[in-house]
Amino acid sequence: MKKEVRAACASVAVLMAMAAMQDAQAQRAPWWERQKAAQAAAQADGGGVAMPADAAQSPVRQSWSQAPAVRREKTEGPGYTWVEAGVARLDVDLYDAGEHGNGGYARGSVAVAEGLYVFGGYDRVSRDWNMGAQQLEVAIDQAEIGLGASLSLSPRADFISELSLLRLGAQLDYRDGEYPQDDISGRDHLYAGKLMLGIRARPARNLELWSKAGYLRVDDNLLVDHSMVGNVGLQYRFTPEWGLVGEAEFYEDVRFYRLGVRASF
């Protein structure tokens, strides 16, 4: 688990470097040089307001500084209003035994103010064992709701912090065709709090990356303990609204993998 958290922290550093490279390239661009020349000319004229050198050819750039946050999301920065659904896989390593389950998930996020968003999601995976007359099914689900805040590091990268509440549930069904009196069915759940810090970046118009690390605190129980958490993912946008998402989330003994389709608004 420590390797996964270190990998998530390294990914954060890489994303910050990519964001800095984007700003450095912008400052070397001819458009940037023309803006500096226009500002110098305005100061030489006694502080008058000078129009950008290419304002006639590019009125969109002239009004970019007044563009709302939603416009920034759609054209340059990371997005925070979207819905997503897809397939999920859970790998568990407990008591020297490794198992996995397959299922699906759905998630969403809504930007409610400048630099503030709410998010939530639901994952459910299951595994069946057939042993002749005996059948066993185990299902695990995770529901999450939380509040996130973003701080712009550059036009293409944000520092984010997320605080969320999780409900972790498990269901077991055992059926014995020969001895029905031995059938067992039960369900239980517990709650946890999760804090995540990380970076979201959009190094290219059709590519968004994120890397987060944090801590999960779980209610007292006999199976699951408190754990460090790491999360890395990417979105490749086919259009400004639609994209393919892949994500991996690492706990102490549990790993979630998700592959889905996202619609951004």
Side-chain angles (χ1 to χ4, degrees):
M1 176 61 206
K2 294 182 179 179
K3 293 183 178 179
E4 285 85 354
V5 174
R6 285 198 295 267
C9 294
S11 300
V12 169
V14 171
L15 293 179
M16 294 181 66
M18 293 175 67
M21 290 174 61
Q22 292 288 342
D23 286 346
Q25 292 173 358
Q27 293 178 5
R28 291 194 296 268
W31 179 83
W32 181 268
E33 298 297 333
R34 290 196 295 272
Q35 306 314 304
K36 292 196 296 184
Q39 293 176 3
Q43 294 176 357
D45 291 339
V49 178
M51 295 297 291
D54 61 347
Q57 294 82 6
S58 183
V60 174
R61 288 177 178 172
Q62 178 183 356
S63 61
W64 174 253
S65 61
Q66 288 81 29
V70 174
R71 176 66 177 170
R72 173 179 174 268
E73 289 181 5
K74 287 183 175 295
T75 60
E76 192 171 31
Y80 294 94
T81 301
W82 46 265
V83 293
E84 177 186 330
V87 296
R89 177 185 171 95
L90 173 68
D91 288 346
V92 180
D93 295 317
L94 290 173
Y95 308 111
D96 297 325
E99 293 292 348
H100 70 273
N102 299 312
Y105 76 96
R107 297 188 302 176
S109 174
V110 177
V112 295
E114 181 69 26
L116 196 66
Y117 58 97
V118 295
F119 62 93
Y122 181 77
D123 299 74
R124 189 181 190 278
V125 297
S126 62
R127 177 73 186 273
D128 297 330
W129 289 267
N130 293 317
M131 302 161 286
Q134 300 173 332
Q135 295 182 344
L136 175 64
E137 178 182 3
V138 176
I140 297 175
D141 61 86
Q142 172 183 281
E144 180 178 15
I145 185 169
L147 178 67
S150 64
L151 176 64
S152 179
L153 301 176
S154 77
R156 293 184 177 271
D158 292 344
F159 172 81
I160 59 173
S161 58
E162 297 177 347
L163 181 63
S164 59
L165 174 67
L166 284 79
R167 182 185 184 277
L168 308 174
Q171 181 175 350
L172 182 146
D173 290 301
Y174 172 76
R175 298 287 182 268
D176 192 328
E178 296 181 354
Y179 303 96
Q181 65 274 17
D182 293 336
D183 291 355
I184 299 174
S185 181
R187 181 175 180 83
D188 201 359
H189 67 274
L190 55 88
Y191 293 96
K194 184 167 68 173
L195 174 65
M196 301 290 283
L197 304 175
I199 298 290
R200 298 185 73 97
R202 194 172 175 183
R205 185 176 295 275
N206 61 348
L207 182 64
E208 184 174 337
L209 308 172
W210 59 89
S211 179
K212 300 178 286 185
Y215 185 73
L216 178 77
R217 182 174 180 82
V218 188
D219 284 346
D220 292 336
N221 65 95
L222 299 177
L223 295 177
V224 183
D225 202 354
H226 310 317
S227 171
M228 299 296 292
V229 185
N231 182 296
V232 292
L234 63 87
Q235 175 188 195
Y236 179 80
R237 298 198 183 200
F238 300 106
T239 70
E241 291 79 23
W242 293 96
L244 181 65
V245 175
E247 184 179 64
E249 191 166 25
F250 309 97
Y251 297 87
E252 189 69 33
D253 300 304
V254 177
R255 295 176 298 279
F256 272 105
Y257 302 100
R258 303 179 181 100
L259 180 64
V261 176
R262 176 180 295 185
S264 301
F265 304 97

